[in-house]
Amino acid sequence: MNGIAFGLMVADKRRAEAAVRRIPESTLLLWAFLGGAFGTVLAARLVRHKTRKQPFATWMLIWLWLQIILIGLWALGLLGPLVTAALAYLPRPA
């Protein structure tokens, strides 16, 4: 996911420089949300693309921190019990 997100950000930067059709921000943010937030933020910093564009930059950082927290919970073994407890509240199919 990070590789694809990174590649899309770099491709969008190149398209912006060439003044051709761009990759929609919604697509870039979707890839960040789906697990590519680190790649998106890294590409933004390396190629200086969309770092000041709001609210895009804010959402990029929100997805990054959310993924960092989830990875931390998973690494500590806390994510499984949280998911299990949350699933216990879902209604069971009849």
Side-chain angles (χ1 to χ4, degrees):
M1 294 296 193
N2 284 305
I4 293 170
F6 184 92
L8 287 171
M9 285 288 287
V10 172
D12 188 52
K13 171 69 174 192
R14 301 296 174 243
R15 289 177 178 201
E17 293 171 341
V20 296
R21 186 177 168 120
R22 307 274 302 276
I23 298 170
E25 284 185 1
S26 59
T27 301
L28 299 172
L29 284 174
L30 176 65
W31 280 100
F33 172 76
L34 294 175
F38 180 74
T40 303
V41 171
L42 182 63
R45 301 292 185 238
L46 289 177
V47 297
R48 294 184 185 161
H49 186 52
K50 295 194 178 286
T51 55
R52 293 183 296 158
K53 176 99 173 163
Q54 293 299 333
F56 183 88
T58 301
W59 279 109
M60 205 170 45
L61 292 175
I62 288 170
W63 298 138
L64 176 64
W65 281 107
L66 179 63
Q67 289 171 23
I68 289 170
I69 291 167
L70 288 173
I71 289 169
L73 290 173
W74 174 74
L76 294 171
L78 301 173
L79 189 58
L82 288 175
V83 171
T84 304
L87 291 176
Y89 288 101
L90 292 178
R92 296 180 189 249

